[in-house]
Short mmCIF file of all heavy atoms in Angstrom, two decimals:
data_model
loop_
_atom_site.label_atom_id
_atom_site.label_comp_id
_atom_site.label_asym_id
_atom_site.label_seq_id
_atom_site.Cartn_x
_atom_site.Cartn_y
_atom_site.Cartn_z
N MET F 687 5.39 12.36 -2.01
CA MET F 687 6.42 11.40 -2.32
C MET F 687 5.85 10.13 -2.95
O MET F 687 6.42 9.65 -3.92
CB MET F 687 7.20 11.12 -1.04
CG MET F 687 8.56 10.62 -1.30
SD MET F 687 9.49 11.85 -2.20
CE MET F 687 11.08 11.24 -2.05
N PRO F 688 4.74 9.57 -2.43
CA PRO F 688 4.20 8.37 -3.07
C PRO F 688 3.77 8.60 -4.52
O PRO F 688 3.87 7.71 -5.35
CB PRO F 688 3.00 7.98 -2.20
CG PRO F 688 3.26 8.61 -0.89
CD PRO F 688 4.02 9.86 -1.19
N VAL F 689 3.28 9.81 -4.82
CA VAL F 689 2.86 10.10 -6.19
C VAL F 689 4.08 10.07 -7.12
O VAL F 689 4.03 9.51 -8.22
CB VAL F 689 2.15 11.47 -6.26
CG1 VAL F 689 1.85 11.86 -7.69
CG2 VAL F 689 0.88 11.44 -5.43
N LEU F 690 5.19 10.64 -6.67
CA LEU F 690 6.42 10.61 -7.45
C LEU F 690 6.88 9.17 -7.68
O LEU F 690 7.29 8.81 -8.78
CB LEU F 690 7.51 11.42 -6.76
CG LEU F 690 8.87 11.44 -7.44
CD1 LEU F 690 8.78 12.08 -8.81
CD2 LEU F 690 9.89 12.14 -6.57
N ALA F 691 6.77 8.34 -6.65
CA ALA F 691 7.16 6.93 -6.80
C ALA F 691 6.29 6.22 -7.82
O ALA F 691 6.79 5.43 -8.63
CB ALA F 691 7.07 6.24 -5.44
N ILE F 692 4.99 6.49 -7.82
CA ILE F 692 4.08 5.85 -8.78
C ILE F 692 4.40 6.32 -10.20
O ILE F 692 4.41 5.50 -11.14
CB ILE F 692 2.62 6.15 -8.41
CG1 ILE F 692 2.27 5.40 -7.12
CG2 ILE F 692 1.67 5.76 -9.52
CD1 ILE F 692 0.93 5.78 -6.53
N VAL F 693 4.69 7.60 -10.36
CA VAL F 693 5.03 8.12 -11.69
C VAL F 693 6.32 7.49 -12.20
O VAL F 693 6.40 7.06 -13.36
CB VAL F 693 5.14 9.66 -11.65
CG1 VAL F 693 5.76 10.21 -12.92
CG2 VAL F 693 3.77 10.28 -11.41
N LEU F 694 7.32 7.39 -11.34
CA LEU F 694 8.59 6.78 -11.75
C LEU F 694 8.43 5.29 -12.04
O LEU F 694 9.04 4.76 -12.97
CB LEU F 694 9.66 7.01 -10.69
CG LEU F 694 10.11 8.47 -10.53
CD1 LEU F 694 11.07 8.59 -9.35
CD2 LEU F 694 10.74 8.97 -11.79
N LEU F 695 7.60 4.61 -11.26
CA LEU F 695 7.33 3.20 -11.53
C LEU F 695 6.63 3.02 -12.87
O LEU F 695 6.99 2.13 -13.65
CB LEU F 695 6.47 2.61 -10.41
CG LEU F 695 6.06 1.15 -10.57
CD1 LEU F 695 7.29 0.25 -10.60
CD2 LEU F 695 5.12 0.74 -9.49
N ALA F 696 5.67 3.87 -13.16
CA ALA F 696 4.97 3.79 -14.45
C ALA F 696 5.94 4.06 -15.60
O ALA F 696 5.89 3.38 -16.64
CB ALA F 696 3.81 4.77 -14.48
N ALA F 697 6.83 5.03 -15.42
CA ALA F 697 7.81 5.34 -16.46
C ALA F 697 8.75 4.16 -16.70
O ALA F 697 9.09 3.83 -17.84
CB ALA F 697 8.61 6.58 -16.09
N SER F 698 9.15 3.49 -15.62
CA SER F 698 10.03 2.32 -15.79
C SER F 698 9.30 1.16 -16.46
O SER F 698 9.88 0.44 -17.27
CB SER F 698 10.62 1.88 -14.46
OG SER F 698 9.62 1.36 -13.62
N LEU F 699 8.00 1.00 -16.17
CA LEU F 699 7.23 -0.05 -16.83
C LEU F 699 7.09 0.22 -18.33
O LEU F 699 7.17 -0.70 -19.14
CB LEU F 699 5.85 -0.19 -16.19
CG LEU F 699 5.81 -0.86 -14.83
CD1 LEU F 699 4.40 -0.80 -14.25
CD2 LEU F 699 6.29 -2.28 -14.91
N VAL F 700 6.90 1.48 -18.69
CA VAL F 700 6.83 1.84 -20.11
C VAL F 700 8.17 1.56 -20.77
O VAL F 700 8.24 1.02 -21.88
CB VAL F 700 6.40 3.31 -20.28
CG1 VAL F 700 6.58 3.78 -21.71
CG2 VAL F 700 4.96 3.50 -19.84
N GLY F 701 9.25 1.92 -20.09
CA GLY F 701 10.58 1.66 -20.64
C GLY F 701 10.85 0.19 -20.84
O GLY F 701 11.41 -0.23 -21.86
N VAL F 702 10.44 -0.64 -19.88
CA VAL F 702 10.62 -2.08 -20.01
C VAL F 702 9.76 -2.62 -21.14
O VAL F 702 10.19 -3.49 -21.91
CB VAL F 702 10.29 -2.79 -18.67
CG1 VAL F 702 10.19 -4.28 -18.84
CG2 VAL F 702 11.35 -2.45 -17.63
N ALA F 703 8.55 -2.11 -21.28
CA ALA F 703 7.65 -2.59 -22.33
C ALA F 703 8.19 -2.25 -23.72
O ALA F 703 7.96 -2.99 -24.68
CB ALA F 703 6.26 -2.00 -22.15
N LEU F 704 8.90 -1.14 -23.85
CA LEU F 704 9.42 -0.72 -25.15
C LEU F 704 10.74 -1.39 -25.52
O LEU F 704 11.14 -1.36 -26.68
CB LEU F 704 9.59 0.81 -25.18
CG LEU F 704 8.30 1.60 -25.08
CD1 LEU F 704 8.59 3.09 -25.03
CD2 LEU F 704 7.36 1.28 -26.22
N ASP F 705 11.41 -1.99 -24.55
CA ASP F 705 12.68 -2.68 -24.81
C ASP F 705 12.40 -4.15 -25.11
O ASP F 705 11.97 -4.89 -24.23
CB ASP F 705 13.60 -2.56 -23.60
CG ASP F 705 14.98 -3.12 -23.85
OD1 ASP F 705 15.26 -3.58 -24.97
OD2 ASP F 705 15.78 -3.10 -22.90
N PRO F 706 12.64 -4.60 -26.35
CA PRO F 706 12.32 -5.99 -26.71
C PRO F 706 13.06 -7.03 -25.86
O PRO F 706 12.53 -8.11 -25.63
CB PRO F 706 12.74 -6.11 -28.17
CG PRO F 706 12.91 -4.72 -28.67
CD PRO F 706 13.17 -3.85 -27.49
N GLU F 707 14.24 -6.71 -25.38
CA GLU F 707 15.00 -7.68 -24.57
C GLU F 707 14.45 -7.81 -23.16
O GLU F 707 14.75 -8.79 -22.48
CB GLU F 707 16.47 -7.27 -24.52
CG GLU F 707 17.15 -7.34 -25.88
CD GLU F 707 18.60 -6.91 -25.80
OE1 GLU F 707 19.08 -6.63 -24.68
OE2 GLU F 707 19.24 -6.84 -26.86
N GLN F 708 13.65 -6.85 -22.71
CA GLN F 708 13.13 -6.86 -21.34
C GLN F 708 11.65 -7.22 -21.25
O GLN F 708 11.10 -7.29 -20.16
CB GLN F 708 13.34 -5.48 -20.70
CG GLN F 708 14.78 -5.08 -20.56
CD GLN F 708 15.51 -5.96 -19.57
OE1 GLN F 708 14.97 -6.36 -18.55
NE2 GLN F 708 16.76 -6.27 -19.88
N GLN F 709 11.01 -7.44 -22.38
CA GLN F 709 9.57 -7.70 -22.36
C GLN F 709 9.21 -8.99 -21.62
O GLN F 709 8.16 -9.06 -21.00
CB GLN F 709 9.01 -7.71 -23.77
CG GLN F 709 8.91 -6.32 -24.35
CD GLN F 709 8.32 -6.31 -25.74
OE1 GLN F 709 8.12 -7.36 -26.34
NE2 GLN F 709 8.05 -5.13 -26.26
N ALA F 710 10.08 -9.98 -21.66
CA ALA F 710 9.78 -11.23 -20.95
C ALA F 710 9.67 -10.99 -19.44
O ALA F 710 8.80 -11.56 -18.77
CB ALA F 710 10.84 -12.27 -21.25
N SER F 711 10.54 -10.12 -18.91
CA SER F 711 10.46 -9.83 -17.47
C SER F 711 9.15 -9.15 -17.12
O SER F 711 8.60 -9.36 -16.04
CB SER F 711 11.65 -8.97 -17.04
OG SER F 711 11.59 -7.70 -17.64
N LEU F 712 8.64 -8.34 -18.01
CA LEU F 712 7.36 -7.69 -17.79
C LEU F 712 6.22 -8.70 -17.81
O LEU F 712 5.36 -8.71 -16.94
CB LEU F 712 7.13 -6.60 -18.84
CG LEU F 712 5.90 -5.74 -18.68
CD1 LEU F 712 6.00 -4.90 -17.42
CD2 LEU F 712 5.73 -4.84 -19.89
N TRP F 713 6.22 -9.59 -18.81
CA TRP F 713 5.13 -10.56 -18.94
C TRP F 713 5.13 -11.61 -17.84
O TRP F 713 4.09 -12.15 -17.50
CB TRP F 713 5.17 -11.23 -20.31
CG TRP F 713 4.86 -10.27 -21.42
CD1 TRP F 713 5.69 -9.89 -22.43
CD2 TRP F 713 3.65 -9.56 -21.62
NE1 TRP F 713 5.07 -8.97 -23.23
CE2 TRP F 713 3.80 -8.75 -22.76
CE3 TRP F 713 2.43 -9.49 -20.94
CZ2 TRP F 713 2.81 -7.91 -23.23
CZ3 TRP F 713 1.44 -8.65 -21.41
CH2 TRP F 713 1.63 -7.88 -22.54
N PHE F 714 6.28 -11.92 -17.28
CA PHE F 714 6.33 -12.87 -16.17
C PHE F 714 6.29 -12.17 -14.82
O PHE F 714 5.80 -12.74 -13.84
CB PHE F 714 7.58 -13.75 -16.27
CG PHE F 714 7.53 -14.72 -17.40
CD1 PHE F 714 8.32 -14.54 -18.52
CD2 PHE F 714 6.67 -15.81 -17.36
CE1 PHE F 714 8.27 -15.43 -19.57
CE2 PHE F 714 6.61 -16.70 -18.41
CZ PHE F 714 7.41 -16.52 -19.52
N GLY F 715 6.78 -10.94 -14.74
CA GLY F 715 6.84 -10.23 -13.48
C GLY F 715 5.50 -9.77 -12.96
O GLY F 715 5.22 -9.85 -11.76
N ILE F 716 4.65 -9.27 -13.85
CA ILE F 716 3.34 -8.78 -13.41
C ILE F 716 2.46 -9.91 -12.85
O ILE F 716 1.93 -9.78 -11.75
CB ILE F 716 2.64 -8.00 -14.54
CG1 ILE F 716 3.39 -6.70 -14.79
CG2 ILE F 716 1.18 -7.73 -14.21
CD1 ILE F 716 2.88 -5.89 -15.96
N PRO F 717 2.31 -11.05 -13.54
CA PRO F 717 1.51 -12.13 -12.95
C PRO F 717 2.12 -12.68 -11.66
O PRO F 717 1.40 -13.02 -10.72
CB PRO F 717 1.48 -13.21 -14.03
CG PRO F 717 1.75 -12.49 -15.30
CD PRO F 717 2.65 -11.35 -14.93
N PHE F 718 3.45 -12.74 -11.59
CA PHE F 718 4.10 -13.22 -10.37
C PHE F 718 3.80 -12.28 -9.20
O PHE F 718 3.48 -12.73 -8.10
CB PHE F 718 5.61 -13.34 -10.58
CG PHE F 718 6.35 -13.77 -9.34
CD1 PHE F 718 6.28 -15.07 -8.90
CD2 PHE F 718 7.09 -12.85 -8.62
CE1 PHE F 718 6.93 -15.46 -7.75
CE2 PHE F 718 7.76 -13.23 -7.49
CZ PHE F 718 7.68 -14.54 -7.03
N THR F 719 3.87 -10.97 -9.43
CA THR F 719 3.57 -10.00 -8.38
C THR F 719 2.11 -10.11 -7.94
O THR F 719 1.81 -10.09 -6.75
CB THR F 719 3.86 -8.58 -8.88
OG1 THR F 719 5.23 -8.51 -9.27
CG2 THR F 719 3.58 -7.55 -7.81
N LEU F 720 1.20 -10.24 -8.89
CA LEU F 720 -0.22 -10.40 -8.54
C LEU F 720 -0.47 -11.69 -7.77
O LEU F 720 -1.27 -11.71 -6.83
CB LEU F 720 -1.08 -10.35 -9.80
CG LEU F 720 -1.11 -8.99 -10.51
CD1 LEU F 720 -1.90 -9.10 -11.82
CD2 LEU F 720 -1.68 -7.92 -9.62
N ALA F 721 0.22 -12.76 -8.14
CA ALA F 721 0.08 -14.03 -7.41
C ALA F 721 0.59 -13.89 -5.98
O ALA F 721 -0.02 -14.41 -5.04
CB ALA F 721 0.82 -15.14 -8.15
N CYS F 722 1.70 -13.17 -5.80
CA CYS F 722 2.23 -12.96 -4.44
C CYS F 722 1.26 -12.15 -3.60
O CYS F 722 1.03 -12.47 -2.43
CB CYS F 722 3.58 -12.26 -4.51
SG CYS F 722 4.92 -13.30 -5.14
N LEU F 723 0.68 -11.09 -4.18
CA LEU F 723 -0.30 -10.29 -3.45
C LEU F 723 -1.55 -11.09 -3.10
O LEU F 723 -2.09 -10.97 -2.00
CB LEU F 723 -0.68 -9.06 -4.27
CG LEU F 723 0.39 -7.98 -4.39
CD1 LEU F 723 -0.03 -6.91 -5.39
CD2 LEU F 723 0.69 -7.36 -3.04
N ALA F 724 -2.00 -11.93 -4.03
CA ALA F 724 -3.18 -12.77 -3.76
C ALA F 724 -2.89 -13.77 -2.64
O ALA F 724 -3.72 -13.96 -1.74
CB ALA F 724 -3.60 -13.50 -5.04
N TYR F 725 -1.73 -14.39 -2.67
CA TYR F 725 -1.36 -15.34 -1.61
C TYR F 725 -1.30 -14.63 -0.26
O TYR F 725 -1.80 -15.14 0.74
CB TYR F 725 -0.01 -15.99 -1.92
CG TYR F 725 0.53 -16.79 -0.77
CD1 TYR F 725 0.00 -18.03 -0.47
CD2 TYR F 725 1.56 -16.30 0.02
CE1 TYR F 725 0.48 -18.77 0.60
CE2 TYR F 725 2.04 -17.02 1.09
CZ TYR F 725 1.50 -18.26 1.37
OH TYR F 725 1.97 -18.97 2.44
N TYR F 726 -0.70 -13.44 -0.22
CA TYR F 726 -0.58 -12.70 1.03
C TYR F 726 -1.95 -12.33 1.57
O TYR F 726 -2.22 -12.45 2.76
CB TYR F 726 0.25 -11.44 0.79
CG TYR F 726 0.64 -10.73 2.06
CD1 TYR F 726 1.72 -11.15 2.81
CD2 TYR F 726 -0.08 -9.63 2.51
CE1 TYR F 726 2.08 -10.51 3.97
CE2 TYR F 726 0.27 -8.98 3.67
CZ TYR F 726 1.35 -9.42 4.40
OH TYR F 726 1.70 -8.78 5.55
N ARG F 727 -2.86 -11.94 0.67
CA ARG F 727 -4.20 -11.58 1.12
C ARG F 727 -4.96 -12.81 1.64
O ARG F 727 -5.65 -12.74 2.64
CB ARG F 727 -4.97 -10.92 -0.02
CG ARG F 727 -6.36 -10.52 0.43
CD ARG F 727 -7.09 -9.79 -0.62
NE ARG F 727 -8.45 -9.57 -0.13
CZ ARG F 727 -9.22 -8.62 -0.54
NH1 ARG F 727 -8.79 -7.78 -1.44
NH2 ARG F 727 -10.43 -8.48 -0.06
N ILE F 728 -4.83 -13.93 0.94
CA ILE F 728 -5.50 -15.15 1.39
C ILE F 728 -4.96 -15.60 2.74
O ILE F 728 -5.71 -15.97 3.63
CB ILE F 728 -5.34 -16.26 0.33
CG1 ILE F 728 -6.16 -15.92 -0.91
CG2 ILE F 728 -5.74 -17.62 0.89
CD1 ILE F 728 -5.85 -16.78 -2.11
N ARG F 729 -3.67 -15.51 2.91
CA ARG F 729 -3.03 -15.98 4.16
C ARG F 729 -3.33 -15.06 5.34
O ARG F 729 -3.54 -15.52 6.45
CB ARG F 729 -1.54 -16.10 3.97
CG ARG F 729 -0.81 -16.57 5.20
CD ARG F 729 0.60 -16.95 4.86
NE ARG F 729 1.39 -17.18 6.04
CZ ARG F 729 1.47 -18.33 6.70
NH1 ARG F 729 0.79 -19.37 6.25
NH2 ARG F 729 2.21 -18.46 7.76
N HIS F 730 -3.37 -13.74 5.11
CA HIS F 730 -3.49 -12.80 6.21
C HIS F 730 -4.85 -12.12 6.32
O HIS F 730 -5.06 -11.31 7.21
CB HIS F 730 -2.40 -11.73 6.10
CG HIS F 730 -1.04 -12.30 6.28
ND1 HIS F 730 -0.54 -12.72 7.48
CD2 HIS F 730 -0.05 -12.54 5.37
CE1 HIS F 730 0.68 -13.18 7.33
NE2 HIS F 730 1.00 -13.09 6.05
N GLY F 731 -5.77 -12.40 5.42
CA GLY F 731 -7.12 -11.85 5.54
C GLY F 731 -7.38 -10.68 4.61
O GLY F 731 -6.47 -10.06 4.07
N ALA F 732 -8.66 -10.38 4.46
CA ALA F 732 -9.09 -9.37 3.50
C ALA F 732 -8.73 -7.95 3.93
O ALA F 732 -8.57 -7.08 3.10
CB ALA F 732 -10.60 -9.48 3.27
N GLY F 733 -8.61 -7.69 5.22
CA GLY F 733 -8.34 -6.34 5.70
C GLY F 733 -6.88 -5.95 5.70
O GLY F 733 -6.52 -4.87 6.15
N VAL F 734 -6.04 -6.80 5.18
CA VAL F 734 -4.61 -6.57 5.29
C VAL F 734 -4.13 -5.40 4.45
O VAL F 734 -3.13 -4.77 4.78
CB VAL F 734 -3.83 -7.86 4.93
CG1 VAL F 734 -3.88 -8.12 3.45
CG2 VAL F 734 -2.41 -7.79 5.41
N PHE F 735 -4.84 -5.02 3.41
CA PHE F 735 -4.40 -3.93 2.56
C PHE F 735 -5.00 -2.59 2.97
O PHE F 735 -4.77 -1.59 2.34
CB PHE F 735 -4.74 -4.22 1.09
CG PHE F 735 -3.95 -5.37 0.54
CD1 PHE F 735 -4.57 -6.51 0.11
CD2 PHE F 735 -2.57 -5.31 0.46
CE1 PHE F 735 -3.85 -7.57 -0.39
CE2 PHE F 735 -1.83 -6.36 -0.03
CZ PHE F 735 -2.47 -7.49 -0.46
N ARG F 736 -5.78 -2.56 4.04
CA ARG F 736 -6.33 -1.30 4.53
C ARG F 736 -5.36 -0.68 5.53
O ARG F 736 -4.76 -1.38 6.33
CB ARG F 736 -7.67 -1.55 5.23
CG ARG F 736 -8.74 -1.96 4.28
CD ARG F 736 -10.08 -1.98 4.99
NE ARG F 736 -10.89 -2.97 4.34
CZ ARG F 736 -11.54 -3.94 4.94
NH1 ARG F 736 -11.50 -4.05 6.23
NH2 ARG F 736 -12.25 -4.81 4.26
N PRO F 737 -5.24 0.65 5.51
CA PRO F 737 -4.36 1.28 6.50
C PRO F 737 -4.93 1.11 7.90
O PRO F 737 -6.15 1.16 8.10
CB PRO F 737 -4.34 2.74 6.08
CG PRO F 737 -5.55 2.93 5.24
CD PRO F 737 -5.84 1.60 4.61
N HIS F 738 -4.06 0.89 8.86
CA HIS F 738 -4.53 0.68 10.24
C HIS F 738 -4.89 2.00 10.90
O HIS F 738 -5.83 2.09 11.66
CB HIS F 738 -3.45 -0.03 11.05
CG HIS F 738 -3.20 -1.41 10.59
ND1 HIS F 738 -4.07 -2.44 10.81
CD2 HIS F 738 -2.19 -1.95 9.87
CE1 HIS F 738 -3.61 -3.56 10.27
NE2 HIS F 738 -2.45 -3.28 9.70
N ASN F 739 -4.13 3.03 10.63
CA ASN F 739 -4.38 4.33 11.23
C ASN F 739 -4.54 5.36 10.12
O ASN F 739 -3.57 5.83 9.55
CB ASN F 739 -3.22 4.73 12.14
CG ASN F 739 -3.08 3.81 13.31
OD1 ASN F 739 -4.07 3.37 13.86
ND2 ASN F 739 -1.85 3.51 13.70
N ASP F 740 -5.77 5.70 9.83
CA ASP F 740 -6.05 6.71 8.83
C ASP F 740 -6.62 7.91 9.56
O ASP F 740 -7.80 7.93 9.91
CB ASP F 740 -7.06 6.18 7.80
CG ASP F 740 -7.29 7.15 6.66
OD1 ASP F 740 -6.68 8.24 6.67
OD2 ASP F 740 -8.08 6.82 5.76
N PRO F 741 -5.80 8.92 9.83
CA PRO F 741 -6.27 10.05 10.64
C PRO F 741 -7.44 10.81 10.01
O PRO F 741 -8.29 11.32 10.72
CB PRO F 741 -5.04 10.94 10.79
CG PRO F 741 -4.07 10.48 9.78
CD PRO F 741 -4.42 9.07 9.43
N VAL F 742 -7.50 10.85 8.68
CA VAL F 742 -8.60 11.57 8.02
C VAL F 742 -9.91 10.83 8.27
O VAL F 742 -10.93 11.43 8.64
CB VAL F 742 -8.32 11.73 6.52
CG1 VAL F 742 -9.52 12.34 5.81
CG2 VAL F 742 -7.07 12.55 6.30
N GLN F 743 -9.89 9.52 8.07
CA GLN F 743 -11.11 8.74 8.28
C GLN F 743 -11.49 8.70 9.76
O GLN F 743 -12.65 8.80 10.11
CB GLN F 743 -10.93 7.32 7.76
CG GLN F 743 -12.19 6.49 7.82
CD GLN F 743 -12.00 5.10 7.25
OE1 GLN F 743 -10.88 4.65 7.08
NE2 GLN F 743 -13.08 4.43 6.97
N ASP F 744 -10.50 8.59 10.64
CA ASP F 744 -10.78 8.58 12.07
C ASP F 744 -11.41 9.89 12.52
O ASP F 744 -12.35 9.91 13.30
CB ASP F 744 -9.49 8.33 12.86
CG ASP F 744 -8.99 6.91 12.72
OD1 ASP F 744 -9.75 6.06 12.21
OD2 ASP F 744 -7.84 6.65 13.11
N ALA F 745 -10.91 11.02 11.99
CA ALA F 745 -11.47 12.31 12.35
C ALA F 745 -12.91 12.45 11.85
O ALA F 745 -13.76 13.01 12.54
CB ALA F 745 -10.60 13.43 11.80
N ALA F 746 -13.17 11.92 10.65
CA ALA F 746 -14.52 12.00 10.10
C ALA F 746 -15.51 11.18 10.92
O ALA F 746 -16.68 11.54 11.05
CB ALA F 746 -14.52 11.53 8.64
N GLN F 747 -15.03 10.08 11.49
CA GLN F 747 -15.91 9.21 12.28
C GLN F 747 -15.88 9.54 13.77
O GLN F 747 -16.61 8.96 14.55
CB GLN F 747 -15.51 7.75 12.08
CG GLN F 747 -15.71 7.26 10.67
CD GLN F 747 -15.22 5.85 10.47
OE1 GLN F 747 -14.61 5.26 11.36
NE2 GLN F 747 -15.48 5.29 9.31
N GLY F 748 -15.00 10.46 14.17
CA GLY F 748 -14.91 10.82 15.58
C GLY F 748 -14.14 9.79 16.39
O GLY F 748 -14.21 9.77 17.61
N VAL F 749 -13.39 8.93 15.72
CA VAL F 749 -12.62 7.91 16.41
C VAL F 749 -11.24 8.47 16.72
O VAL F 749 -10.66 9.19 15.92
CB VAL F 749 -12.48 6.64 15.53
CG1 VAL F 749 -11.62 5.59 16.20
CG2 VAL F 749 -13.84 6.11 15.19
N GLY F 750 -10.72 8.12 17.86
CA GLY F 750 -9.36 8.52 18.18
C GLY F 750 -9.25 9.98 18.59
O GLY F 750 -8.18 10.56 18.53
N ALA F 751 -10.35 10.56 19.04
CA ALA F 751 -10.29 11.94 19.48
C ALA F 751 -9.48 12.01 20.76
O ALA F 751 -9.35 11.06 21.51
CB ALA F 751 -11.71 12.46 19.73
N ALA F 752 -8.93 13.17 21.01
CA ALA F 752 -8.12 13.37 22.21
C ALA F 752 -9.00 13.19 23.44
O ALA F 752 -10.15 13.63 23.46
CB ALA F 752 -7.50 14.75 22.20
N PRO F 753 -8.48 12.54 24.47
CA PRO F 753 -9.27 12.36 25.69
C PRO F 753 -9.50 13.70 26.37
O PRO F 753 -8.75 14.65 26.18
CB PRO F 753 -8.41 11.43 26.55
CG PRO F 753 -7.02 11.60 26.01
CD PRO F 753 -7.17 11.94 24.57
N GLU F 754 -10.55 13.75 27.16
CA GLU F 754 -10.85 14.98 27.87
C GLU F 754 -9.74 15.27 28.86
O GLU F 754 -9.16 14.37 29.46
CB GLU F 754 -12.18 14.86 28.60
CG GLU F 754 -13.36 14.78 27.67
CD GLU F 754 -14.66 14.73 28.43
OE1 GLU F 754 -14.69 15.21 29.59
OE2 GLU F 754 -15.64 14.23 27.88
N ARG F 755 -9.46 16.54 29.04
CA ARG F 755 -8.40 16.94 29.94
C ARG F 755 -8.87 16.77 31.37
O ARG F 755 -9.96 17.20 31.75
CB ARG F 755 -8.02 18.39 29.66
CG ARG F 755 -6.82 18.83 30.40
CD ARG F 755 -6.48 20.24 30.01
NE ARG F 755 -5.31 20.63 30.72
CZ ARG F 755 -4.18 21.01 30.16
NH1 ARG F 755 -4.09 21.06 28.87
NH2 ARG F 755 -3.15 21.36 30.90
N VAL F 756 -8.04 16.17 32.17
CA VAL F 756 -8.37 15.92 33.58
C VAL F 756 -7.67 16.99 34.42
O VAL F 756 -6.45 17.18 34.30
CB VAL F 756 -7.91 14.51 34.01
CG1 VAL F 756 -8.19 14.29 35.48
CG2 VAL F 756 -8.59 13.46 33.16
N ASP F 757 -8.43 17.67 35.26
CA ASP F 757 -7.85 18.68 36.15
C ASP F 757 -7.24 17.98 37.34
O ASP F 757 -7.92 17.34 38.14
CB ASP F 757 -8.93 19.66 36.57
CG ASP F 757 -8.34 20.82 37.37
OD1 ASP F 757 -7.11 21.03 37.28
OD2 ASP F 757 -9.11 21.49 38.06
N THR F 758 -5.93 18.08 37.46
CA THR F 758 -5.23 17.42 38.57
C THR F 758 -4.99 18.37 39.73
O THR F 758 -4.41 17.98 40.74
CB THR F 758 -3.88 16.84 38.08
OG1 THR F 758 -3.11 17.91 37.55
CG2 THR F 758 -4.09 15.76 37.06
N GLY F 759 -5.40 19.62 39.58
CA GLY F 759 -5.18 20.59 40.64
C GLY F 759 -3.73 21.02 40.68
O GLY F 759 -2.98 20.86 39.72
N ASN F 760 -3.30 21.55 41.78
CA ASN F 760 -1.90 21.97 41.94
C ASN F 760 -1.10 20.83 42.53
O ASN F 760 -1.26 20.50 43.71
CB ASN F 760 -1.81 23.21 42.83
CG ASN F 760 -2.43 24.41 42.17
OD1 ASN F 760 -2.47 24.47 40.94
ND2 ASN F 760 -2.92 25.35 42.98
N ILE F 761 -0.27 20.27 41.74
CA ILE F 761 0.54 19.14 42.22
C ILE F 761 1.92 19.62 42.53
O ILE F 761 2.55 20.36 41.93
CB ILE F 761 0.57 17.99 41.19
CG1 ILE F 761 -0.81 17.46 41.00
CG2 ILE F 761 1.52 16.91 41.64
CD1 ILE F 761 -0.92 16.33 40.01
#
């Protein structure tokens, strides 16, 4: 699903770039978006854009493995 979203976003950016009436929104929108992302990163720290729970990376590092099963006997 995210790949489809990126493809559709790229298609809309191409469409905006080809429409002379919409080019101003492209030239002002991209720097504004980058400025917002830079401000957010400065305010919240450098690690803010990293995923908090990456199961693939956790599995590769052995982090977050299932705890050992505890035998409780017959309860």
Side-chain angles (χ1 to χ4, degrees):
M687 203 61 167
V689 173
L690 178 62
I692 291 171
V693 168
L694 292 174
L695 178 62
S698 68
L699 286 174
V700 169
V702 168
L704 295 176
D705 185 2
E707 294 179 4
Q708 297 294 323
Q709 286 181 352
S711 66
L712 185 66
W713 293 117
F714 289 108
I716 291 175
F718 177 74
T719 302
L720 293 175
C722 289
L723 288 172
Y725 170 75
Y726 190 81
R727 181 176 174 155
I728 290 168
R729 180 167 170 87
H730 295 287
V734 73
F735 293 117
R736 291 189 209 129
H738 294 287
N739 296 322
D740 185 359
V742 174
Q743 186 178 16
D744 289 347
Q747 295 176 354
V749 177
E754 292 182 25
R755 188 177 181 120
V756 177
D757 186 19
T758 59
N760 293 333
I761 297 180

